Amino acid sequence: MKIAIAHDYLIQMGGAERVVEVFHHMYPEAPIFTTVFNGSRLTDNLKDADIRASWLQKIPGVKRNFKGVLPLYPMAVRDLDFSGYDIVLSSSSAFMKSIQVPESTFHLCYCHTPMRFAWDYDTYMERQSNSGLFKRLLKVYMQRLKNWDQRTSKNVNQFVANSSVVKTRIQNYYHRDSDVIFPPINTARFSSSTSIGDYYLIVSRLVSYKRIDLAVEAFNRNGLKLYIVGDGPDRKRLEGMAKGNVSFLGRLEDEEVTGLMSQCRAFVFPGEEDFGITPLEANAAGRPVIAYQAGGALDTIIPYVNGVFFQHQEVDDLLKAIDEVESYAWDIDQIMGHARKFDEQAFMVQFKQYVEQAYVNFLKGG
């Protein structure tokens, strides 16, 4: 079988890009089609990949401002050529599920979520600093984008959702069924530590919908140390509201992040995510998680096994959860054992078998 991989864009390395790394490991000969990529940001695991970008790659400055060409993405993915491939695996949280493939080609979409900036526009934009007029104009465009997104969902032969909440969104927005296969975690990267520090930890892109501001407000109030790893457009605002006990460390190498995870008191996960790989990575390092009780965390957090929930995105609720995690005697082996259920080796076996069976069904016309 001749296989191609397709991913929205390779500009920032997050959870979805970790999945692409595993796809590349599974199918190393498969080229990776994308709209635009930044070679300096690629992880070592993708350095040897055959990456084929759309014509967006030639636009000056697009790597720095890839969101600024938003209206062009539908045309860019339409123009990608998948002739000659038996299977295309798309990894999509935005545009790539809408690619067009020949009728004889099987298109399986591993969906991280239907595009949140379109389907949940108000939540996505409510803390953005753009003008009211810009937001209103953009909302009009988002309605057109939703119509396009729904229409092109028919280009997918089989959907796989990365979590239960995403399965529900696929059903609600695209009126399509899907199977759930949780994303892979490279648990071998992590090990526990006998020396626990005096800080809590967040590892995240700094964008408003991830609600890092909620954690900053909570730690401003309790005075405990909070380390925030990552960067993004919301960083300046967050730094402006943070007190001295909250430290912004920027982007760090994987080795530095794994060290911080193994010694943090707990990992803080204040937003509603589609799945959430970083909490399980913290679990793989033996540390508990404090998570907002929504989204993908509902699939991965078991109270008093590998973390605690807080029910409402309010400072008082988060402070109460911090007190809970401090007062509980955590079993490190139990936490790490839970994380291993999501290990990438198990994912690769399950996903490869799934793809092969789905392709057989496609050939039979099922």
Side-chain angles (χ1 to χ4, degrees):
M1 294 183 296
K2 193 175 180 183
I3 297 175
I5 299 166
H7 184 63
D8 297 314
Y9 20 66
L10 291 166
I11 294 293
Q12 51 200 7
M13 294 297 108
E17 289 69 36
R18 298 288 189 191
V19 174
V20 175
E21 288 182 5
V22 175
F23 284 174
H24 174 57
H25 182 75
M26 294 170 64
Y27 307 105
E29 301 302 318
I32 300 175
F33 289 81
T34 191
T35 54
V36 61
F37 75 97
N38 186 340
S40 65
R41 292 278 179 85
L42 294 177
T43 62
D44 290 342
N45 293 327
L46 290 176
K47 293 291 187 183
D48 66 338
D50 175 9
I51 298 176
R52 305 180 186 183
S54 73
W55 48 261
L56 285 179
Q57 186 77 8
K58 299 178 181 178
I59 297 177
V62 72
K63 297 176 187 178
R64 295 189 304 275
N65 186 24
F66 70 101
K67 294 181 180 180
V69 295
L70 178 66
L72 301 181
Y73 282 101
M75 290 179 284
V77 300
R78 180 199 62 198
D79 292 343
L80 293 172
D81 184 8
F82 294 96
S83 300
Y85 292 98
D86 300 300
I87 298 174
V88 178
L89 302 177
S90 66
S91 160
S92 183
S93 60
F95 303 97
M96 200 54 76
K97 70 125 192 60
S98 302
I99 56 175
Q100 298 179 18
V101 303
E103 285 189 11
S104 60
T105 300
F106 176 57
H107 176 194
L108 185 148
C109 175
Y110 189 83
C111 186
H112 305 282
T113 183
M115 51 179 73
R116 290 182 65 162
F117 51 85
W119 291 100
D120 194 14
Y121 175 82
D122 291 334
T123 300
Y124 193 87
M125 292 293 293
E126 65 181 344
R127 290 173 179 81
Q128 300 282 358
S129 59
N130 306 93
S131 69
L133 176 61
F134 175 83
K135 290 181 179 180
R136 288 193 294 273
L137 291 173
L138 189 59
K139 190 170 186 176
V140 173
Y141 173 72
M142 286 303 167
Q143 184 56 55
R144 293 179 56 190
L145 192 60
K146 284 196 294 185
N147 293 339
W148 172 85
D149 188 49
Q150 191 172 61
R151 184 174 68 254
T152 57
S153 66
K154 297 180 177 64
N155 295 353
V156 176
N157 297 110
Q158 179 67 47
F159 276 103
V160 174
N162 76 344
S163 69
S164 300
V165 69
V166 170
K167 176 182 173 71
T168 300
R169 291 176 194 161
I170 290 170
Q171 180 63 53
N172 290 344
Y173 303 153
Y174 302 151
H175 311 297
R176 296 285 300 277
D177 193 18
S178 59
D179 294 309
V180 177
I181 299 179
F182 298 129
I185 309 296
N186 182 5
T187 60
R189 278 179 52 209
F190 302 90
S191 58
S192 61
S193 174
T194 56
S195 175
I196 304 303
D198 60 351
Y199 61 89
Y200 288 76
L201 182 66
I202 289 175
V203 179
S204 175
R205 286 186 295 115
L206 304 186
V207 291
S208 59
Y209 80 89
K210 290 182 178 286
R211 295 309 314 272
I212 311 301
D213 59 323
L214 178 67
V216 171
E217 290 178 6
F219 282 85
N220 278 347
R221 191 185 299 183
N222 67 17
L224 298 174
K225 284 186 183 179
L226 174 64
Y227 290 167
I228 300 175
V229 175
D231 207 346
D234 208 28
R235 179 170 177 172
K236 185 176 180 180
R237 180 180 76 94
L238 294 169
E239 288 180 325
M241 63 187 290
K243 292 184 178 179
N245 57 305
V246 178
S247 300
F248 292 81
L249 307 184
R251 290 191 180 93
L252 298 178
E253 297 297 327
D254 283 352
E255 294 77 11
E256 296 174 279
V257 175
T258 56
L260 288 169
M261 281 185 170
S262 68
Q263 296 187 328
C264 69
R265 299 200 66 77
F267 188 87
V268 184
F269 195 59
E272 179 178 349
E273 293 285 0
D274 311 312
F275 179 72
I277 286 178
T278 49
L280 286 170
E281 291 179 334
N283 285 163
R287 305 313 303 149
V289 173
I290 301 168
Y292 174 47
Q293 193 171 1
L298 298 174
D299 286 326
T300 61
I301 304 300
I302 303 174
Y304 301 105
V305 171
N306 66 320
V308 297
F309 283 124
F310 62 98
Q311 285 192 318
H312 306 286
Q313 286 178 315
E314 298 173 359
V315 172
D316 286 341
D317 271 25
L318 178 51
L319 288 171
K320 186 185 299 182
I322 294 169
D323 289 341
E324 285 183 53
V325 84
E326 281 285 342
S327 62
Y328 190 74
W330 295 98
D331 185 331
I332 292 176
D333 290 336
Q334 187 178 51
I335 293 174
M336 296 177 73
H338 176 78
R340 282 193 290 271
K341 296 175 184 177
F342 299 85
D343 185 70
E344 64 180 26
Q345 296 299 323
F347 171 89
M348 286 191 286
V349 171
Q350 180 185 13
F351 192 77
K352 200 163 192 175
Q353 290 176 345
Y354 184 92
V355 171
E356 291 171 357
Q357 185 59 56
Y359 182 56
V360 169
N361 293 341
F362 169 75
L363 293 177
K364 291 179 178 178

